[in-house]
PDB file of all heavy atoms in Angstrom:
ATOM      1  N   ARG T 941      13.055  10.453  10.692  1.00 88.00           N
ATOM      2  CA  ARG T 941      13.260   9.084  11.174  1.00 88.00           C
ATOM      3  C   ARG T 941      14.733   8.712  11.258  1.00 88.00           C
ATOM      4  O   ARG T 941      15.077   7.555  11.516  1.00 88.00           O
ATOM      5  CB  ARG T 941      12.514   8.106  10.255  1.00 88.00           C
ATOM      6  CG  ARG T 941      10.997   8.289  10.307  1.00 88.00           C
ATOM      7  CD  ARG T 941      10.294   7.586   9.145  1.00 88.00           C
ATOM      8  NE  ARG T 941       8.846   7.665   9.260  1.00 88.00           N
ATOM      9  CZ  ARG T 941       8.113   8.711   8.888  1.00 88.00           C
ATOM     10  NH1 ARG T 941       8.727   9.782   8.378  1.00 88.00           N
ATOM     11  NH2 ARG T 941       6.814   8.714   9.035  1.00 88.00           N
ATOM     12  N   ILE T1035     -12.113   4.037 -20.662  1.00 93.00           N
ATOM     13  CA  ILE T1035     -13.088   3.120 -21.235  1.00 93.00           C
ATOM     14  C   ILE T1035     -12.488   2.309 -22.376  1.00 93.00           C
ATOM     15  O   ILE T1035     -12.669   1.081 -22.468  1.00 93.00           O
ATOM     16  CB  ILE T1035     -14.328   3.889 -21.718  1.00 93.00           C
ATOM     17  CG1 ILE T1035     -15.103   4.442 -20.511  1.00 93.00           C
ATOM     18  CG2 ILE T1035     -15.230   3.012 -22.581  1.00 93.00           C
ATOM     19  CD1 ILE T1035     -16.230   5.373 -20.885  1.00 93.00           C
ATOM     20  N   THR T1047     -18.825   0.157 -30.563  1.00 90.00           N
ATOM     21  CA  THR T1047     -18.487   0.022 -31.984  1.00 90.00           C
ATOM     22  C   THR T1047     -17.889   1.307 -32.532  1.00 90.00           C
ATOM     23  O   THR T1047     -16.977   1.273 -33.361  1.00 90.00           O
ATOM     24  CB  THR T1047     -19.727  -0.356 -32.793  1.00 90.00           C
ATOM     25  OG1 THR T1047     -20.749   0.633 -32.581  1.00 90.00           O
ATOM     26  CG2 THR T1047     -20.257  -1.718 -32.371  1.00 90.00           C
ATOM     27  N   LYS T1076       7.465   8.185 -28.418  1.00 92.00           N
ATOM     28  CA  LYS T1076       8.690   8.237 -27.632  1.00 92.00           C
ATOM     29  C   LYS T1076       8.752   9.532 -26.826  1.00 92.00           C
ATOM     30  O   LYS T1076       8.114  10.513 -27.165  1.00 92.00           O
ATOM     31  CB  LYS T1076       9.905   8.132 -28.554  1.00 92.00           C
ATOM     32  CG  LYS T1076       9.972   6.813 -29.312  1.00 92.00           C
ATOM     33  CD  LYS T1076      11.181   6.781 -30.227  1.00 92.00           C
ATOM     34  CE  LYS T1076      11.252   5.461 -30.994  1.00 92.00           C
ATOM     35  NZ  LYS T1076      12.412   5.423 -31.918  1.00 92.00           N
ATOM     36  N   LEU T1091      -0.361  28.069 -26.235  1.00 89.00           N
ATOM     37  CA  LEU T1091      -1.227  28.530 -25.157  1.00 89.00           C
ATOM     38  C   LEU T1091      -0.870  29.939 -24.687  1.00 89.00           C
ATOM     39  O   LEU T1091      -1.743  30.697 -24.273  1.00 89.00           O
ATOM     40  CB  LEU T1091      -1.155  27.557 -23.970  1.00 89.00           C
ATOM     41  CG  LEU T1091      -1.904  26.230 -24.147  1.00 89.00           C
ATOM     42  CD1 LEU T1091      -1.546  25.262 -23.026  1.00 89.00           C
ATOM     43  CD2 LEU T1091      -3.410  26.458 -24.175  1.00 89.00           C
ATOM     44  N   SER T1245     -29.764  21.840 -10.709  1.00 91.00           N
ATOM     45  CA  SER T1245     -31.223  21.951 -10.641  1.00 91.00           C
ATOM     46  C   SER T1245     -31.778  22.634 -11.884  1.00 91.00           C
ATOM     47  O   SER T1245     -32.835  22.244 -12.404  1.00 91.00           O
ATOM     48  CB  SER T1245     -31.641  22.714  -9.378  1.00 91.00           C
ATOM     49  OG  SER T1245     -31.129  24.038  -9.393  1.00 91.00           O
ATOM     50  N   ASP T1300     -66.783   3.040 -31.855  1.00 60.00           N
ATOM     51  CA  ASP T1300     -67.733   3.083 -32.967  1.00 60.00           C
ATOM     52  C   ASP T1300     -68.889   4.009 -32.637  1.00 60.00           C
ATOM     53  O   ASP T1300     -69.399   4.038 -31.514  1.00 60.00           O
ATOM     54  CB  ASP T1300     -68.272   1.668 -33.259  1.00 60.00           C
ATOM     55  CG  ASP T1300     -67.159   0.752 -33.732  1.00 60.00           C
ATOM     56  OD1 ASP T1300     -66.213   1.250 -34.378  1.00 60.00           O
ATOM     57  OD2 ASP T1300     -67.241  -0.447 -33.433  1.00 60.00           O
TER      58      ASP T1300
END
Side-chain angles (χ1 to χ4, degrees):
R941 295 165 175 82
I1035 291 172
T1047 57
K1076 297 179 180 179
L1091 285 170
S1245 62
D1300 296 329

